[in-house]
Each structure stands twice: as structure tokens, then as C-alpha cells.
Amino acid sequence: MRDKVPLRSARRRLARLALTAAFAFLAPVPAGAAADVDYTALADQVAKEINLARTNPGAYAAWLKGQRPWYRGTQLRRPGETPVRTKEGLAAVDEAIRWLENQRPVGALGLSRGLSLAARDLVAAQGAAGGFGHTGPDGSLPSDRIERHGRWESVIGENVAYGQRTARDVVAAFIVDDGVPGRGHRKNLFNASFRVMGVDCGPHAAYGITCAITFAGAFREKTGF
């Protein structure tokens, strides 16, 4: 059974997990350009990339090192891609590399259908409305969406990315966490208290693509209670 935590206490716990939306490596994708994206495959790949990062942080450090030559000041200018303006430039990338090189692996996360549905609730509604952040167009918070689909235990969290076309760029955005004080998305990604996640990706009216990831210490699917 889920720990009995008052709603106000649960929301404070969510706040401590730095639930803010990711803008690192953001490159808005025109709606037409995102039409050919297989969102189901993208969500599956994001889940795999998250577990790669958690279990092999050094692999991501090596990949980020390979991105360094494409920076010009605060712009990321990869060949054949639209330039991306960041807030911190290489400083954030180099800080992330150092952090990854000192980070011990943490366990891979299991994939939950209910948590994926909670992520979909945000992706579908926000994508259609062109919204941003962790409050859905219906006023729902991450805890509200998660509790629609089951019972969580211990801790919960949510990361949201906008504009990244590849799973690697989604996860790299969370790790670098450009411009985010405290690197809250990175902390969520490597939080050893999380044991299960849900992922969903879809079209977004303003940014072309959005992906949401919900996390929990444990989760009991709604079916059966």
C-alpha cells in the first residue's frame, strides 16, 4: 500500500524533486517536420536511453565530449541541424561531463503502463494546446495524473522535454540541464529511490515534439484495486 502522505506533503515532496520543464538542447521542430515521427518508438527509445544513462554514466560522458566541437559560444551548431541557443553553452556541458565521470551507476528502471498513461495525459492535452510546464490544461499536477492510474509509493517525479527529435537528445537535455538551477532533471534521472518509470511522446503545437517521463519509488497499477 502507498505510504499515507497528506496531499500537501506530497506536493512539497514533488517540489523538492525540482519538477521543472527541460529546455536544454531545445530546437523547436515545425509541425510538418514532426509529422513523420514514430512517437511510440521514440518513447521506447527514451526509456532505453534513460536506463543506459543510469547504468552506464560514462557512456553519456563520452558522448557529450563528442558534442563539444559543435559549440560556438552559447550556440550548439551541429551539421545539418537548426542551431540551438543555450543559456550556459559549454560550461553546462563540461559540468555535466565531470558529474557523469564521478557518478556511480544506479539501477535500471522498470516500465509501468500506468505511469506511461500518466505521462500521456500531459503529452496529449498539452501538445494539443501548445502548453508548457507541469500543470496540465485541466489544472492537473503530476501527482493528480499519476494517481488516476494507480497507487505510488515513497517518491514520485516528472521530467518534460520539448523539441528534441531523438531519444539521445531528450536524455542529454535532462543530464546537461542547461539553465536549470540545481540540475533538478538530472537529479530525477539518477535518483536511486526511483525504481519504475512511464514514458510518452507526442506532437506539440508549439514545439513540434514533447516527451514526458514520470517516476516512482514503486507503483501499483490501477487494475485490481
Side-chain angles (χ1 to χ4, degrees):
M1 181 178 292
R2 189 189 71 185
D3 294 345
K4 293 185 180 298
V5 179
L7 179 59
R8 184 175 298 175
S9 176
R11 288 178 176 173
R12 283 200 299 267
R13 183 171 295 178
L14 281 166
R16 288 200 298 273
L17 290 174
L19 294 177
T20 52
F23 261 122
F25 286 99
L26 180 69
V29 179
D36 61 345
V37 174
D38 183 334
Y39 295 107
T40 300
L42 179 59
D44 289 344
Q45 291 160 9
V46 168
K48 291 176 182 177
E49 288 288 325
I50 288 172
N51 280 334
L52 172 61
R54 284 174 63 94
T55 59
N56 190 357
Y60 259 85
W63 185 82
L64 285 174
K65 286 179 181 178
Q67 302 301 296
R68 296 186 81 264
W70 307 123
Y71 277 83
R72 300 291 183 272
T74 57
Q75 284 198 345
L76 174 63
R77 305 181 67 89
R78 295 191 292 206
E81 298 183 12
T82 302
V84 179
R85 184 175 298 280
T86 68
K87 293 183 178 180
E88 300 177 65
L90 270 177
V93 176
D94 288 341
E95 184 273 330
I97 291 169
R98 291 191 298 272
W99 189 92
L100 288 166
E101 289 177 337
N102 288 291
Q103 170 66 19
R104 293 182 178 179
V106 291
L109 300 173
L111 192 61
S112 160
R113 181 176 181 272
L115 289 177
S116 294
L117 290 173
R120 181 172 297 177
D121 287 348
L122 181 65
V123 166
Q126 199 173 73
F132 171 84
H134 293 279
T135 302
D138 61 352
S140 64
L141 298 174
S143 56
D144 299 320
R145 295 187 292 272
I146 289 170
E147 290 171 0
R148 289 171 188 166
H149 301 287
R151 293 178 179 174
W152 58 272
E153 295 180 10
S154 182
V155 289
I156 51 176
E158 180 181 82
N159 282 6
V160 190
Y162 302 89
Q164 295 86 355
R165 280 186 69 96
T166 72
R168 176 61 57 92
D169 280 346
V170 169
V171 176
F174 294 144
I175 292 174
V176 175
D177 234 2
D178 176 67
V180 178
R183 311 301 192 204
H185 302 98
R186 184 194 300 168
K187 289 178 180 177
N188 275 353
L189 209 65
F190 289 93
N191 189 335
S193 296
F194 291 141
R195 301 296 178 85
V196 65
M197 66 177 162
V199 184
D200 193 70
C201 299
H204 192 281
Y207 296 106
I209 299 172
T210 183
C211 291
I213 300 91
T214 54
F215 303 95
F219 189 74
R220 182 181 175 190
E221 307 288 340
K222 189 170 184 177
T223 301
F225 74 83

